[in-house]
Amino acid sequence: MPKTRDDSLKDTVASRISRALAERIIHGELVPGARLAQDHIAEEFGASHVPVREAFRRLEAQGLVISLPRRGVRVASFDLKQVREVAEMRAALEVLALRHAAPNLTPEVLAAAEQAAADADDAKDVRTWEEANRRFHRLIVSTCGMPRLLSVIDDLHAVSARFLFVAWRATWEARTDHDHRAILEALKSGDAAEAARILERHVQWIGRAPLPVPGRTETEGFAIVG
């Protein structure tokens, strides 16, 4: 059945609520285990419980919250195993998207990706880096012509961003991402296979290298570089 006007309105409100809550979870404003009270959220956004419940479903599909019997909806926790699972999924799906996108990448899209890579290298804080990094990865697969695939990749990037903000909550270190440059050079030269190989290795590095975190043992940290 086609959506009614009321359904579309609820969908818009649910989207707004889920985006706002996702940002709070990703940036650590809502910590693992925190309960999301349906009544309070509905009051905050001036909404009924229907779009709030839909927002919760969307967040659960993204892996950002979990629904527990008798405990309500809570912010999901994660461990190194989950970090690596997301890295493996991202590597497989982004490589698939890149192979379909590469023949359709225009000079304008590549120039925008190059600017995103430069912005990431010049970032002075973790939020700026994450936004530029996500923009780079989105641009190089944007012409794949597979909207469902891109939607799943976007969700995985949101989860990766959450891992990133936890890993770097104590300190941030600027760096030059040589993989981004190598991917761009391969794409410019028409070598999609080489670009895909570098991208796969680049994303799979997430969670593989230990990252020392003040006050914790080295093995408890993990690198988020992709």
Side-chain angles (χ1 to χ4, degrees):
M1 291 179 60
K3 282 187 176 182
T4 66
R5 184 177 180 280
D6 285 346
D7 288 335
S8 298
L9 181 60
K10 289 172 185 175
D11 185 60
T12 301
V13 175
S15 297
R16 179 166 59 89
I17 295 171
S18 63
R19 283 196 304 270
L21 294 177
E23 284 298 306
R24 295 175 194 178
I25 294 168
I26 288 167
H27 294 123
E29 296 166 26
L30 290 171
V31 299
R35 184 172 178 271
L36 301 183
Q38 185 172 266
D39 290 345
H40 293 166
I41 292 170
E43 183 178 355
E44 176 186 351
F45 288 91
S48 70
H49 286 184
V50 174
V52 174
R53 286 194 293 269
E54 176 58 29
F56 286 170
R57 283 193 287 271
R58 295 182 187 195
L59 293 170
E60 190 165 17
Q62 288 181 287
L64 295 176
V65 305
I66 54 174
S67 180
L68 300 170
R70 297 182 298 280
R71 294 187 62 198
V73 176
R74 295 181 180 271
V75 176
S77 59
F78 63 87
D79 55 25
L80 187 54
K81 182 179 178 181
Q82 290 171 282
V83 175
R84 290 176 175 168
E85 177 188 16
V86 169
E88 293 287 342
M89 292 175 67
R90 271 189 55 193
L93 297 181
E94 288 184 43
V95 165
L96 173 63
L98 182 61
R99 286 176 176 152
H100 285 270
N104 307 312
L105 288 169
T106 64
E108 291 75 19
V109 174
L110 288 173
E114 190 164 15
Q115 183 59 59
D119 291 344
D121 290 346
D122 294 340
K124 299 298 188 292
D125 59 76
V126 65
R127 288 198 183 203
T128 304
W129 181 87
E130 192 280 325
E131 188 280 330
N133 180 68
R134 195 189 304 206
R135 183 158 34 98
F136 170 84
H137 281 268
R138 189 58 158 80
L139 281 163
I140 62 172
V141 299
S142 61
T143 57
C144 70
M146 304 171 78
R148 290 184 182 179
L149 178 59
L150 291 176
S151 179
V152 174
I153 290 172
D154 285 344
D155 285 348
L156 291 172
H157 268 280
V159 178
S160 282
R162 185 183 178 211
F163 299 156
L164 169 75
F165 285 110
V166 170
W168 287 102
R169 65 177 175 266
T171 183
W172 169 248
E173 190 177 288
R175 83 283 307 282
T176 297
D177 198 316
H178 298 291
D179 282 349
H180 284 178
R181 302 295 179 183
I183 290 167
L184 284 171
E185 288 306 312
L187 290 172
K188 287 178 183 177
S189 66
D191 193 344
E194 175 65 3
R197 185 190 67 79
I198 299 167
L199 177 63
E200 182 175 25
R201 181 197 66 198
H202 173 72
V203 175
Q204 285 181 335
W205 187 247
I206 294 173
R208 299 293 174 183
L211 173 70
V213 178
R216 298 164 66 190
T217 64
E218 183 173 311
T219 55
E220 288 179 303
F222 47 84
I224 302 290
V225 294

